[in-house]
Amino acid sequence: TVMHVGSFEPHAHLIEWGTGPRYTSAGAFRGSVAPQPMLQPAWDAHKRQILEGLGARMWDEITKTIARRAKRAAKA
């Protein structure tokens, strides 16, 4: 099972949290990005349900692993 949290976009964190002022090595100002949070508000609103769901999935995988190992041990 593969789980990905977040965005596959390489610059998504720059939009989520913003950036400070940026300057070139010559000192020219190149701007800054104001934060536009998307994931943090979603996490704050739903973290209890998300954690309960993750816990249930993890427990399912743990019980499956225990059953597999018990089956292998019985064969040996």
Side-chain angles (χ1 to χ4, degrees):
T1 303
V2 175
M3 182 186 311
H4 177 79
V5 178
S7 173
F8 289 102
E9 298 299 324
H11 296 94
H13 65 287
L14 298 174
I15 302 299
E16 180 78 19
W17 291 292
T19 67
R22 294 166 296 171
Y23 298 90
T24 66
S25 58
F29 179 66
R30 291 296 181 235
S32 62
V33 175
Q36 298 175 3
M38 303 165 277
L39 299 175
Q40 187 66 44
W43 168 255
D44 291 341
H46 302 287
K47 64 183 162 191
R48 184 174 187 88
Q49 299 95 318
I50 292 168
L51 291 174
E52 287 173 359
L54 286 173
R57 285 184 181 183
M58 287 180 67
W59 188 250
D60 288 344
E61 293 300 320
I62 289 168
T63 56
K64 288 177 189 178
T65 300
I66 291 169
R68 279 193 308 271
R69 290 185 178 185
K71 187 176 177 181
R72 285 185 198 143
K75 285 183 179 181

